[in-house]
Amino acid sequence: MSHRNDSNYSSLPVSSYLELQPQNDSPKSSRRMSFDEKGGYLGSKVVDDDDDFEIDIDDYPLVVGGTNHGSGVPGAVFNLTTTIIGAGIMALPATMKVLGVVLGIILIILMGVLSEISVELLVRFSVLCKASSYGEVVQHAMGRPARILSEICIIVNNAGVLVVYLIIMGDVMSGSVHHLGVFDQLMGNGVWDQRKLVVLVVMVVFLAPLCSLEKIDSLSLTSAASVALAVLFVVVAFAVAFIKLVEGKIDAPRMVPDFSSKTAILDLLVVIPIMTNAYVCHFNVQPIYNELGNRSPQKMNRVGRITTMLCILVYASTATSGYLLFGRDTESDVLTNFDKDLGIRFSSAINYIVRVGYILHLILVFPVIHFSLRQTVDALVFERSPPLLESRKRSLGLTLVLLVLIYIGSTMIPNIWTAFKFTGATTAVSLGFIFPSLVALRLSHQGDLSRGEWVLSWLMLVLAITVSIVGVIGNVYSIQSKS
């Protein structure tokens, strides 16, 4: 190698590797050079990418920007868990009311397992393609139009989720048509009855400062707190349901779906896409992986598996306990059910703890979802501009515009059920299952996809497309029939 070429490379830590494509080697081989801590050359060797794919992917981290002193596994787990456990948890008791306890729990477990598999496939092919975002790996597999479509899906999905967060905050704090708000119960009527004003104050005072942070790793502590608050909600709801069950104050729940009427069948078609929406976190997988200390696919897979087990436990407990507590009266947003006597001691105090605690949880979750929304909008609109981390002004400008649009959206959508059933049937299914399956199938010759993984990828793709079509048809029909 000439002196002129050597001067173009800076020293890297001993744990870092640099891959070059030499002209005198075969197209399927690469030359890996290693350096010591002082930048001294330790040697190189030609490696055939096809023959040694597993070693290359598992043992060598993706190098983006030199030395990586990122977050640990706990921080990554908290951020990924926070991405998953948001407002969707509040809709699960209502889906359990439609599906029945048995089918509801089965679907919670099944969707969790399938989502985890799709995350692992996404990580594997992202590392293979050296992609640092969801859109990049999609473009590598299917071209630029597919990348644009995937980024539009992320924007619609995340914006919809953040709108839902604001709707829930307004419902809980200021009340709704059928339920009293926390402020009304504590202080009576007042200026806090103005839902739009209360949500605006929360956005300016709490959400805007957190959303202005530039790195997702900066949100690890708030994510840990949000997970703790979600667990608190689950523990309280489960404890209350258990006490009432022991005292014989709970009616027998429906164990299987109701097929007795056209309306019941239509509701069943609508809630299945909502269940698929529960585990969508794929848009944040690459940002979390990029900031993972000493990253490797194996380490990120461990993060995904821990997260999935935690979410399955939380979701199953929440859906079951919420449905047991309120039965046929379970609302699409179960938090609004906690405005009346629960039939046990200290009911009023428990109601306040549950609702205020979950509002704090949503406030801490909001910036994590907003982070990937901002990154995706920037990648789509300012594709040829420097990275967002290098432009504080652009980052703050995007944050301001997005928050204003999300706030306007929250004043126009009537309830979370409307938002969830449409995003669940379209963008959520696409991001969680359709795009990862297509990436794996298109790059299967490069990624050493096993026969079982190939079959599973096709199965996820067919199921996801079926759920999407059925969900959209069910949603349109339910609007027309005002079900």
Side-chain angles (χ1 to χ4, degrees):
M1 186 179 296
S2 67
H3 177 74
R4 180 177 54 129
N5 288 338
D6 286 340
S7 64
N8 290 332
Y9 299 97
S10 58
S11 61
L12 295 172
V14 69
S15 61
S16 299
Y17 298 87
L18 183 65
E19 294 186 5
L20 298 176
Q21 294 292 341
Q23 294 180 353
N24 59 342
D25 292 321
S26 65
K28 292 185 178 181
S29 65
S30 60
R31 182 172 299 277
R32 182 171 292 113
M33 301 190 299
S34 58
F35 300 82
D36 62 21
E37 294 179 342
K38 296 181 180 179
Y41 180 64
L42 296 179
S44 66
K45 64 176 181 178
V46 176
V47 179
D48 187 272
D49 290 337
D50 289 336
D51 292 343
D52 201 25
F53 175 78
E54 279 299 321
I55 295 176
D56 182 42
I57 291 299
D58 289 338
D59 295 344
Y60 298 104
L62 172 63
V63 178
V64 181
T67 307
N68 176 29
H69 298 293
S71 64
V73 170
V77 168
F78 286 134
N79 278 332
L80 195 59
T81 303
T82 300
T83 305
I84 296 175
I85 302 179
I89 193 175
M90 295 296 105
L92 289 181
T95 63
M96 186 75 81
K97 178 178 69 173
V98 176
L99 296 170
V101 174
V102 175
L103 182 58
I105 292 178
I106 289 174
L107 281 180
I108 286 173
I109 297 173
L110 178 63
M111 292 300 175
V113 172
L114 290 178
S115 180
E116 161 57 18
I117 293 171
S118 66
V119 165
E120 292 194 9
L121 289 174
L122 196 62
V123 170
R124 180 196 300 186
F125 289 101
S126 295
V127 174
L128 175 69
C129 305
K130 298 294 185 282
S132 59
S133 70
Y134 191 101
E136 284 184 19
V137 68
V138 171
Q139 178 172 341
H140 188 90
M142 293 175 284
R144 178 172 168 75
R147 172 181 181 161
I148 294 174
L149 180 60
S150 70
E151 290 176 339
I152 291 173
C153 285
I154 293 174
I155 292 170
V156 173
N157 182 81
N158 290 21
V161 168
L162 296 182
V163 165
V164 166
Y165 289 0
L166 296 187
I167 291 173
I168 291 178
M169 291 177 196
D171 285 345
V172 173
M173 291 186 293
S174 297
S176 60
V177 177
H178 303 293
H179 297 277
L180 289 174
V182 171
F183 290 150
D184 279 337
Q185 289 182 308
L186 284 174
M187 299 174 287
N189 295 330
V191 68
W192 43 83
D193 289 336
Q194 302 298 317
R195 174 199 182 99
K196 296 178 182 178
L197 177 61
V198 171
V199 172
L200 180 62
V201 170
V202 170
M203 176 168 281
V204 172
V205 176
F206 297 103
L207 299 179
L210 288 173
C211 290
S212 65
L213 296 174
E214 295 181 307
K215 297 183 68 176
I216 197 168
D217 185 45
S218 305
L219 299 169
S220 294
L221 290 178
T222 58
S223 294
S226 73
V227 173
L229 288 168
V231 172
L232 173 65
F233 170 81
V234 173
V235 170
V236 171
F238 197 82
V240 174
F242 180 76
I243 292 172
K244 295 188 69 174
L245 188 63
V246 171
E247 294 178 350
K249 297 180 180 178
I250 290 180
D251 297 331
R254 176 187 294 145
M255 303 304 293
V256 295
D258 179 15
F259 298 102
S260 60
S261 66
K262 183 173 70 174
T263 299
I265 295 174
L266 184 62
D267 287 341
L268 185 63
L269 298 180
V270 169
V271 301
I272 292 178
I274 294 175
M275 193 70 78
T276 64
N277 197 21
Y279 289 96
V280 175
C281 61
H282 302 65
F283 48 82
N284 261 351
V285 168
Q286 277 92 348
I288 292 172
Y289 177 77
N290 292 341
E291 296 183 16
L292 187 63
N294 298 317
R295 55 183 169 258
S296 70
Q298 289 178 330
K299 194 171 186 178
M300 189 62 196
N301 290 344
R302 187 162 71 251
V303 169
R305 290 165 189 171
I306 294 171
T307 299
T308 300
M309 288 188 291
L310 180 60
C311 291
I312 287 176
L313 183 61
V314 169
Y315 278 172
S317 301
T318 303
T320 306
S321 59
Y323 175 44
L324 287 176
L325 275 178
F326 304 111
R328 297 179 181 178
D329 297 327
T330 305
E331 298 281 354
S332 59
D333 174 10
V334 75
L335 269 187
T336 58
N337 283 112
F338 285 90
D339 69 336
K340 55 189 176 184
D341 187 10
L342 298 175
I344 63 171
R345 295 180 60 188
F346 309 111
S347 173
S348 179
I350 291 173
N351 283 338
Y352 287 129
I353 291 172
V354 165
R355 289 182 293 171
V356 174
Y358 211 81
I359 288 300
L360 293 175
H361 166 77
L362 293 182
I363 288 173
L364 297 177
V365 172
F366 194 100
V368 178
I369 307 298
H370 174 270
F371 178 87
S372 58
L373 173 62
R374 182 179 63 196
Q375 294 290 106
T376 306
V377 170
D378 180 72
L380 190 62
V381 178
F382 303 101
E383 183 179 3
R384 301 187 183 279
S385 301
L388 197 58
L389 281 172
E390 299 178 10
S391 177
R392 181 64 174 165
K393 182 183 294 186
R394 192 166 88 243
S395 177
L396 291 176
L398 275 175
T399 299
L400 178 62
V401 170
L402 290 174
L403 290 181
V404 169
L405 292 176
I406 291 164
Y407 173 74
I408 293 173
S410 71
T411 64
M412 299 172 64
I413 296 176
N415 56 60
I416 70 171
W417 198 257
T418 302
F420 270 137
K421 67 184 182 182
F422 277 103
T423 59
T426 53
T427 59
V429 171
S430 299
L431 295 173
F433 301 103
I434 294 178
F435 281 119
S437 298
L438 287 174
V439 166
L441 293 170
R442 289 295 297 270
L443 300 179
S444 59
H445 60 288
Q446 299 180 35
D448 195 25
L449 205 66
S450 69
R451 180 68 178 176
E453 290 171 332
W454 185 85
V455 172
L456 193 57
S457 297
W458 269 110
L459 179 62
M460 282 197 297
L461 181 61
V462 172
L463 286 176
I465 292 174
T466 303
V467 167
S468 182
I469 293 173
V470 170
V472 170
I473 293 174
N475 290 335
V476 172
Y477 189 79
S478 67
I479 291 176
Q480 291 178 344
S481 62
K482 297 181 179 181
S483 172

